[in-house]
Amino acid sequence: RFNVAMTRAKSLLIVVGNPNILQCDYYWHQLLNYCHKNDAYRGVKFPLHKKSPVDRLIKDMKQLNINTDVVNSKEEGPQWRGEL
C-alpha cells in the first residue's frame, strides 16, 4: 500500500495521519525524515526519531543482555520424563 500511495501521486501528495504513529513504520519514518530535511513537512510538530524503528529495536534488544548461548541438545531432559 505504501508503494502505491507514493507512486500514484503525480504532482502533490497529502498524507493525513499521526506522525508519532506513522514514524514507527520503517518506510513512513524514511518519508517523514525526507520531508523534514527538504522542508516539505507541514503540520503538528513532533520529535522525529533520528534512527529508524528497526535500528531502535536492535539497540533495545542489545540492552536486554539476553544470554544467546546455544543449549546443548544432548543434555538430559527433566527428571520427570523418566517417570512416564
Side-chain angles (χ1 to χ4, degrees):
R1 291 183 183 186
F2 181 86
N3 186 31
V4 172
M6 299 301 112
T7 58
R8 299 289 167 127
K10 298 293 181 188
S11 60
L12 176 69
L13 175 66
I14 298 173
V15 175
V16 178
N18 184 337
N20 292 307
I21 302 298
L22 290 175
Q23 73 173 331
C24 292
D25 178 78
Y26 176 80
Y27 298 105
W28 284 108
H29 178 270
Q30 297 299 322
L31 178 66
L32 288 169
N33 194 20
Y34 176 82
C35 291
H36 267 275
K37 286 181 180 179
N38 292 287
D39 197 32
Y41 176 82
R42 303 291 180 268
V44 65
K45 292 184 179 186
F46 68 99
L48 181 64
H49 299 294
K50 295 185 191 261
K51 293 188 174 184
S52 73
V54 174
D55 294 332
R56 292 193 321 264
L57 177 62
I58 290 170
K59 179 185 165 230
D60 292 344
M61 294 298 289
K62 286 181 180 178
Q63 288 178 347
L64 291 175
N65 292 327
I66 296 174
N67 184 2
T68 57
D69 293 339
V70 177
V71 177
N72 186 354
S73 61
K74 294 181 181 180
E75 290 181 13
E76 289 185 28
Q79 292 179 354
W80 58 266
R81 287 195 180 185
E83 298 173 6
L84 294 176

